[in-house]
Amino acid sequence: MELPATISRAPARSQARAGEEAYTEARQDAQADAGPPPRRSPAFYSSVFAQIEEIGWERVVSATGDDGLSCLTFRVVDEQGRIHLLEITLPMGYPARPPSIAAEVPYLPKIHWSKSSRLKDVIFQFQEHLKTLQEFWSTMDEIDKVLCVVDPIKLTHAMSHRRLALGDDCYILIHVDPRKPTSLPECRFLGTNGKLDRLIMNWKRNRRRWDVKMKFHENLAAVLDFALPTPPSVSTVKDDEQADCGICYAKHLPVDDELGADSGCATDYTCENSSCSRAFHSVCLRDWLRSITTTRQSFDVLFGNCPYCSDPVAVKVTDR
């Protein structure tokens, strides 16, 4: 008589369970033999604290890692007021071993390090690297302001591509060289409309006419021999629609008691420059202005510049 399946499988389950237990015991024994993970010396903490003091604690965004200090994130503002987050990871053996960095930039600089180097030297080298990228970001800002960008929606300082709408379900995907932003970009045409055939032909015929002294959008329009669509103005957005904030890239702030009256609010501030018209949450713009050294305050109003067009902006310090 054949035994029920549940009975016949019982030994197999017992063997599997025994195997799992043996594996767990072996793993625990191996961990015990390996000993506790290496710990930082007191001198490490004293040194790192002193180096952060040199940079300024107000520039520290976060300090994480197993020991709370192995991964430091600093706020770095470039000469155009753009905010960058620089993550510095300190390996075991620091400072004899160099730190590694991460940031949302098109490419990272090579950090020069010696045993006498300090964290402020890393910040300085990163700031110098940001200077070399200003022309690239200015070019990308120009594209975002003047042309109809449909992708990416969530922009970062590391992105060097844009998908531009040409109308009639036709698009052009461009890649700007961060090292030579005014040079002829790589491009790819997307769509099925017959219009693309003419644009592709114009591109092949005219691309040698690309002039690095001209503005990017003017160059692109001249090479394609085509009037490029412009982005819809914030002022033309329908009443039942809402523009994304130019800082947090969201239509509404999160619902959070800590935000008080701003909890869940929509964008409520628009740049008065008609060629910009970027929308912002007042709380986002206020926090951004506070991080800029050139921002001025008079009574309860902060005065600074728009993150996109650099025209004057002003926002109240106090919550609504």
Side-chain angles (χ1 to χ4, degrees):
M1 180 178 178
E2 185 177 356
L3 293 175
T6 53
I7 297 178
S8 64
R9 291 176 183 171
R13 286 204 301 270
S14 298
Q15 292 174 2
R17 189 180 301 111
E20 292 175 358
E21 292 174 352
Y23 171 77
T24 302
E25 291 176 359
R27 186 176 181 183
Q28 291 174 346
D29 291 341
Q31 291 176 343
D33 293 339
R39 301 182 64 180
R40 309 275 191 175
S41 67
F44 165 82
Y45 294 98
S46 300
S47 174
V48 172
F49 283 140
Q51 292 179 56
I52 294 176
E53 287 281 356
E54 295 173 347
I55 297 169
W57 282 97
E58 71 279 0
R59 299 177 66 179
V60 177
V61 176
S62 65
T64 58
D66 295 338
D67 51 21
L69 278 180
S70 60
C71 185
L72 304 171
T73 302
F74 293 92
R75 180 184 292 105
V76 182
V77 181
D78 66 25
E79 56 190 19
Q80 292 298 320
R82 301 182 185 91
I83 301 174
H84 306 269
L85 298 182
L86 175 63
E87 183 181 287
I88 304 177
T89 301
L90 309 180
M92 295 300 297
Y94 173 88
R97 293 180 59 195
S100 59
I101 65 171
E104 285 194 343
V105 292
Y107 60 96
L108 290 169
K110 182 179 180 180
I111 298 298
H112 299 282
W113 185 261
S114 67
K115 290 184 179 180
S116 61
S117 296
R118 301 175 72 80
L119 290 177
K120 66 178 182 180
D121 300 318
V122 178
I123 299 287
F124 175 78
Q125 292 180 57
F126 183 68
Q127 288 176 318
E128 291 298 303
H129 180 63
L130 295 181
K131 291 180 181 179
T132 67
L133 292 168
Q134 293 306 303
E135 187 175 25
F136 165 72
W137 284 320
S138 294
T139 299
M140 302 309 290
D141 287 346
E142 173 200 332
I143 293 172
D144 295 333
K145 286 192 297 184
V146 179
L147 302 179
C148 189
V149 177
V150 295
D151 186 67
I153 298 175
K154 301 290 185 181
L155 299 175
T156 72
H157 295 311
M159 295 176 176
S160 59
H161 70 281
R162 295 290 189 271
R163 182 162 63 97
L164 309 176
L166 302 176
D168 300 325
D169 291 327
C170 295
Y171 306 90
I172 181 173
L173 180 64
I174 60 172
H175 171 75
V176 179
D177 186 348
R179 292 177 171 84
K180 299 178 180 179
T182 60
S183 63
L184 181 73
E186 296 179 9
C187 78
R188 179 183 176 189
F189 294 87
L190 308 172
T192 57
N193 192 289
K195 176 196 297 185
L196 285 183
D197 295 335
R198 178 171 60 87
L199 294 176
I200 293 173
M201 181 180 65
N202 290 346
W203 174 267
K204 292 180 178 179
R205 183 179 61 230
N206 300 329
R207 59 186 177 183
R208 292 184 180 179
R209 300 179 185 176
W210 188 276
D211 186 352
V212 296
K213 296 180 181 179
M214 291 176 59
K215 291 185 177 181
F216 187 94
H217 70 281
E218 295 174 349
N219 255 327
L220 188 60
V223 170
L224 294 177
D225 192 17
F226 178 74
L228 297 168
T230 57
S233 172
V234 173
S235 61
T236 63
V237 177
K238 297 179 181 179
D239 293 338
D240 60 345
E241 296 180 353
Q242 188 64 43
D244 290 347
C245 172
I247 295 175
C248 73
Y249 303 115
K251 290 181 174 64
H252 296 85
L253 288 171
V255 177
D256 191 332
D257 292 340
E258 293 185 1
L259 292 174
D262 292 309
S263 176
C265 80
T267 50
D268 55 355
Y269 187 97
T270 303
C271 177
E272 295 181 357
N273 182 350
S274 59
S275 64
C276 176
S277 299
R278 287 280 183 168
F280 304 98
H281 298 114
S282 291
V283 64
C284 293
L285 186 59
R286 182 166 61 242
D287 290 344
W288 185 83
L289 288 174
R290 281 172 170 162
S291 69
I292 306 301
T293 56
T294 56
T295 298
R296 297 177 295 103
Q297 181 172 345
S298 177
F299 296 99
D300 63 342
V301 179
L302 292 174
F303 296 90
N305 301 96
C306 173
Y308 288 86
C309 70
S310 298
D311 268 24
V313 294
V315 63
K316 285 189 175 182
V317 175
T318 55
D319 295 332
R320 297 178 303 172

